[in-house]
Amino acid sequence: MLTVILLLHLICMFSDAESPCEYKTAGDNVVIKLKIDELNPDDHLIWKQSQIKVYERKNSVVKTKKEGFDIDQSGSLIMENIQTNKSGTYNAEVFQSNGKSKAKTEIQLCVQEPLSEPSITFQCVDEGVHLSCSVPAGAEMSVSWMKNGQKTDKALAVLNVSWSELEPGDSYSCTVSDGINQKSAEYVQPACSNTGLKAENTTNADGDRKKEDIGSKIENNSDDAQSFLFGLDLWMVVLVAVAGGVFLILFIICVVCICCRRRNKSKAEEEKEFRLAPLIPDYSNQPDEQYMQQSESNRPSKSQRPLPPLPSV
């Protein structure tokens, strides 16, 4: 008895399990087939989306029809320009005129947003280069990587490449797939300033050093070192020097203009005073008014003056 109960329980579990998801892209037209040999006009057909009735027809009379849903002659459910809200479990059941179940259909529909083209970003670290492939969040995506046109065995969104694996001119691309469509990113060539220094430790198959390549890489690194001054790019230093020179020249011009203006103003005032000098009376040589009054008071009047002597006969 216990064995029978366990067996029935397992049967119920498997019967309640959701069917495999059928993936579709938003904007597609979908037809969910009704698994029945023949649909008679007097059959009773019911379509449900997640236990919500979206279409019902009985005796050729449509009783329920939600917006965006319709059926064809065979009873299959038709949906045009589906969106993500159309995801869910779809059930269909057909009843005969006597009420007896005739057929059942169930399907799990998963509607996803259109797949966008991925992009690759890279970061230079001490161990090598980290390449990241952009993957939409919350979506079940598979990722694959290509190196120089050849598929690799890497299947993660982040690809770690060591300095020993990275060669000058290597290019990488990633491909993402959502089970329906797949998109590939443009090829990227990782470029790091210390690639040459890390490559100096590599050897060829015979164990010999690549002296010529190392020498050329050291020269390139020395050129890069010369392009810096005081921790800044050389062109930044030149730009700052030119800007400072222009500012100094403008400051000198402003100072000279101010001095010239003041000198011209002083010269104009002197010329004005020189022109007005003849028109201003000079009181510096005039006798003192008090002295004149005293002299006038000490001078005898005409009545007090002595008479002139008579002429002698």
Side-chain angles (χ1 to χ4, degrees):
M1 184 67 179
L2 181 60
T3 304
V4 175
I5 294 175
L6 291 176
L7 182 60
L8 292 175
H9 182 67
L10 291 174
I11 293 174
C12 292
M13 288 178 60
F14 283 108
S15 63
D16 293 338
E18 292 184 353
S19 58
C21 194
E22 182 175 337
Y23 290 95
K24 297 295 180 180
T25 304
D28 290 347
N29 297 330
V30 178
V31 177
I32 302 178
K33 296 293 185 179
L34 179 64
K35 298 176 182 180
I36 189 173
D37 296 333
E38 183 181 2
L39 183 65
N40 299 323
D42 57 346
D43 287 339
H44 184 191
L45 172 63
I46 299 175
W47 275 102
K48 293 181 180 180
Q49 177 195 6
S50 301
Q51 304 304 321
I52 298 176
K53 191 181 296 184
V54 295
Y55 190 91
E56 182 181 9
R57 192 188 74 175
K58 185 176 182 180
N59 296 327
S60 300
V61 178
V62 178
K63 294 188 174 183
T64 303
K65 183 180 178 182
K66 297 288 186 180
E67 184 178 359
F69 296 93
D70 203 352
I71 63 169
D72 57 11
Q73 294 180 353
S74 63
S76 298
L77 187 65
I78 301 173
M79 294 179 288
E80 297 182 355
N81 190 23
I82 61 172
Q83 301 301 318
T84 55
N85 59 352
K86 291 297 191 294
S87 298
T89 302
Y90 287 83
N91 297 281
E93 189 170 6
V94 181
F95 300 92
Q96 297 178 352
S97 58
N98 57 6
K100 185 178 180 180
S101 179
K102 184 176 180 180
K104 291 183 180 181
T105 299
E106 180 176 330
I107 186 174
Q108 183 75 16
L109 183 65
C110 299
V111 184
Q112 299 182 155
E113 293 290 345
L115 189 63
S116 58
E117 183 176 340
S119 60
I120 298 177
T121 57
F122 66 89
Q123 181 182 8
C124 302
V125 295
D126 293 339
E127 298 81 10
V129 181
H130 294 172
L131 296 102
S132 300
C133 182
S134 62
V135 179
E140 295 182 1
M141 300 286 179
S142 61
V143 181
S144 60
W145 286 91
M146 301 281 289
K147 177 182 178 181
N148 300 329
Q150 301 294 326
K151 188 174 182 179
T152 67
D153 57 352
K154 307 299 182 181
L156 298 177
V158 179
L159 178 65
N160 300 321
V161 182
S162 63
W163 292 118
S164 60
E165 297 175 342
L166 184 64
E167 295 291 338
D170 284 348
S171 58
Y172 294 85
S173 174
C174 66
T175 301
V176 296
S177 175
D178 59 1
I180 306 173
N181 304 309
Q182 65 178 18
K183 291 289 184 68
S184 298
E186 295 183 357
Y187 275 90
V188 172
Q189 291 184 352
C192 299
S193 59
N194 58 346
T195 303
L197 296 176
K198 296 295 182 180
E200 290 179 7
N201 297 325
T202 60
T203 57
N204 56 15
D206 298 332
D208 298 330
R209 296 284 182 177
K210 300 179 181 179
K211 295 181 179 180
E212 295 180 359
D213 294 339
I214 293 174
S216 62
K217 291 171 183 177
I218 292 176
E219 291 178 359
N220 294 333
N221 291 331
S222 63
D223 294 338
D224 294 339
Q226 292 176 0
S227 63
F228 289 87
L229 184 63
F230 302 112
L232 299 174
D233 290 340
L234 187 58
W235 67 270
M236 286 291 295
V237 176
V238 173
L239 182 61
V240 172
V242 172
V246 172
F247 177 80
L248 181 60
I249 292 173
L250 292 175
F251 179 78
I252 293 174
I253 293 174
C254 292
V255 171
V256 171
C257 291
I258 292 173
C259 293
C260 292
R261 184 175 179 183
R262 289 183 177 178
R263 189 176 2 178
N264 293 336
K265 184 177 180 181
S266 177
K267 188 176 180 180
E269 290 178 357
E270 291 177 0
E271 290 178 357
K272 182 178 180 181
E273 291 177 0
F274 180 79
R275 290 173 184 166
L276 296 177
L279 302 178
I280 299 174
D282 187 11
Y283 295 100
S284 59
N285 297 326
Q286 296 293 330
D288 188 34
E289 183 177 355
Q290 183 178 2
Y291 174 77
M292 291 295 293
Q293 290 178 358
Q294 291 177 359
S295 300
E296 194 71 30
S297 62
N298 295 332
R299 185 179 299 175
S301 63
K302 290 183 179 182
S303 60
Q304 296 177 353
R305 291 178 183 177
L307 296 174
L310 293 174
S312 60
V313 177

